[in-house]
Amino acid sequence: MRLRLTKVDDFQFLTCVKNEVWGSKSARFSDWQIGDYLAIIVNKQLAGLAEVSGPTFQSDKKVWDNGVFPYRIPLKFKYLFDNNNRPQILGKIRDALINAWTTRYGWGILNQQLLDENNAEIIIKEITSRTNQITNILENIDSLLIEAKQKREATEIKRTSGKGGRQRKTIEEIKQSQKTSEKEELEPISKQDESLHSKAQYILAKIGQISGCKNFIATNDRKRKYRNIELSTLTLATLPNLGLNKDATDRISWIDVIWLKQNAAICAFEVETSTSIYSGLLRMSDLLSVIPNLNIKLYIVAQKERENKVLGELSRPTFQKIGLNDYCEFISIEDLEELLIKIENLAGHIQPSILDTISVGLGDENE
C-alpha cells in the first residue's frame, strides 16, 4: 500500500476533484505508480483520498488559478468529505505520521514523500472507516468551488488588511513578547473575574444563536447572570447524545460553552478570565485525548492582554505532543464583544466560521 500526503487550500482541492488531476511545477512524479494513493489535507483535516489512475503527462492547459503546473498526474477520487466531517490530523493519524517522520512530519507532507506501508495502512483505514460523501460533493462541486473561492478571497483581504483573519504567531514571537510569569499565581476568583466570565459566556451564547447554533453552557454556571439575564435561558437543558461514551460526555459537559448544530458539537470554548489558563488547556487536551476524531474547533477566551500568555502555554511540549497547539486558538473578549455588535441583526446570514476573523493561533512549526 503506497500513500503520499499533501496539503492545499479548499479551492485548490476542489479544483483537483473537479478536474481529476494533480499538478506540479517540477517533474516530481517519476516514482509515482498507477494505484498509488494521495491523501489531501485542507486546514489540518483530511479532505479526500485519491488513487493515481494513469501515467504522468505534461500540459499547459490552465486548471488552477495560481499557476500552470505543467507536470500532471491523473487521479480518481475514492473518498471525499465536506467541511464538517473531515478527519482531523489527530489520534491514530497523527501517531502514524509521527512514527514515520517524527513530530516534524510537515516536511514529509510538503515534499509528498512516500509513507511506509504500515503507517500508510493505518491512515487509509482511518479515512475509509468514515462515511463517504463523494456523491454529494461531486453533485455540488460547482457551488462548492464558488463558496471556497469567496472564503479564500475574504481571508486574503483580512490578512492583507492586518485586522484579524486567523492571525498566527510563532513560538519565538510569543517568547519575546510574553511578559507574564511562567508560573501561575493561585488566587481565588474575584467577583470581577466571575462577572467577566459570565459576560464572555453570554456573548458566546448570543453569537452562537446568531450563527444558527444551539448552546450548551456548563451546568455549574447557569445561575450566573449578565445584564440581568440568567445564562440558563440561553442553553439547552441537557447535552444531546453525541454518540460518545460516558467518560467523554462527562468531560464535554464541564466545558464553559459548546456550540451545536444538528446535534453535533462544532465549537468548544473555555473562558479563562482569572490567573488560571493551564487548567482550561488541560480540559481541552483531555477532550482531544478521549475523543481525537471529534471534528470540533477549540478556543480559549480571555482578555486581550492575556493573548501571549495563552499562546505561550499552548506552545508547551505537553500540548504540542498531542496536537492541541494545532487545533486550539485564542479569542479575546474585547473582539467577541465588538463582533456581537456588528452581527447582532444578521441572524440567518452568519456562519460559525465568523470566528475565523478574530481568532489567533500558533504558527505551524511542523510545516
Side-chain angles (χ1 to χ4, degrees), residues 5 28-29 31 49 86 115 140 220 238 257 334 342:
L5 298 96
R28 67 186 311 164
F29 301 127
D31 63 339
L49 179 69
R86 293 172 177 172
L115 203 65
N140 296 282
N220 57 312
T238 58
V257 179
E334 294 89 338
K342 290 179 180 177

Side-chain angles (χ1 to χ4, degrees), residues 238-281:
T238 58
L239 190 65
N241 182 3
L242 303 176
L244 306 172
N245 60 37
K246 185 178 184 304
D247 183 31
T249 302
D250 288 346
R251 289 176 189 271
I252 287 181
S253 66
W254 285 99
I255 291 174
D256 287 326
V257 179
I258 300 170
W259 288 359
L260 302 109
K261 264 196 172 183
Q262 299 176 340
N263 285 343
I266 61 170
C267 296
F269 307 88
E270 274 292 310
V271 180
E272 300 295 348
T273 57
S274 67
T275 54
S276 175
I277 290 173
Y278 193 66
S279 59
L281 290 172

Side-chain angles (χ1 to χ4, degrees), residues 340-356:
L340 178 58
I341 293 170
K342 290 179 180 177
I343 68 171
E344 57 186 345
N345 295 317
L346 297 175
H349 303 281
I350 298 297
Q351 296 296 319
S353 58
I354 190 70
L355 294 178
D356 291 348

Side-chain angles (χ1 to χ4, degrees), residues 32-233:
W32 290 45
Q33 301 175 10
I34 295 175
D36 284 2
Y37 288 102
L38 179 68
I40 301 180
I41 298 170
V42 176
N43 295 328
K44 302 185 188 299
Q45 298 174 315
L46 285 166
L49 179 69
E51 185 178 359
V52 175
S53 58
T56 183
F57 64 98
Q58 293 186 47
S59 174
D60 291 328
K61 178 184 176 182
K62 183 123 186 219
V63 174
W64 300 274
D65 68 343
N66 62 337
V68 175
F69 305 102
Y71 298 93
R72 300 177 185 181
I73 197 160
L75 298 175
K76 181 67 176 178
F77 280 86
K78 299 293 186 178
Y79 277 77
L80 293 173
F81 307 101
D82 64 27
N83 289 329
N84 296 321
N85 294 284
R86 293 172 177 172
Q88 300 196 53
I89 312 299
L90 290 171
K92 292 180 180 179
I93 295 173
R94 182 180 175 86
D95 290 344
L97 292 173
I98 291 174
N99 286 338
W101 296 323
T102 76
T103 54
R104 300 285 181 174
Y105 56 78
W107 72 269
I109 296 172
L110 181 65
N111 293 292
Q112 297 163 33
Q113 293 289 309
L114 194 64
L115 203 65
D116 68 273
E117 188 170 348
N118 288 339
N119 287 306
E121 186 175 351
I122 291 170
I123 292 175
I124 290 176
K125 186 176 180 180
E126 285 294 301
I127 295 173
T128 57
S129 66
R130 304 297 183 95
T131 301
N132 195 355
Q133 298 169 298
I134 188 167
T135 301
N136 183 58
I137 290 175
L138 292 179
E139 287 177 350
N140 296 282
I141 190 68
D142 290 329
S143 60
L144 290 171
L145 275 163
I146 292 171
E147 182 182 347
K149 189 167 187 178
Q150 289 173 342
K151 285 184 178 179
R152 181 215 271 176
E153 290 171 349
T155 300
E156 188 60 31
I157 290 171
K158 291 161 195 162
R159 184 182 295 117
T160 55
S161 68
K163 296 180 180 180
R166 293 186 63 81
Q167 307 165 51
R168 306 196 73 80
K169 292 190 175 184
T170 65
I171 293 174
E172 192 56 38
E173 286 175 331
I174 293 165
K175 287 179 178 178
Q176 290 177 358
S177 61
Q178 188 177 10
K179 297 180 180 179
T180 54
S181 170
E182 281 292 317
K183 296 181 179 179
E184 292 282 3
E185 296 177 17
L186 300 177
E187 298 176 357
I189 298 176
S190 67
K191 287 189 175 181
Q192 181 179 357
D193 288 331
E194 194 171 276
S195 175
L196 191 57
H197 191 282
S198 301
K199 175 181 179 179
Q201 287 177 294
Y202 170 85
I203 294 173
L204 285 167
K206 296 299 288 185
I207 294 176
Q209 290 176 337
I210 292 169
S211 62
C213 297
K214 293 183 179 179
N215 299 300
F216 181 82
I217 297 175
T219 307
N220 57 312
D221 292 334
R222 293 183 183 181
K223 291 191 178 297
R224 293 180 178 180
K225 292 183 179 181
Y226 180 69
R227 293 181 177 174
N228 290 322
I229 297 175
E230 195 169 275
L231 296 181
S232 62
T233 64

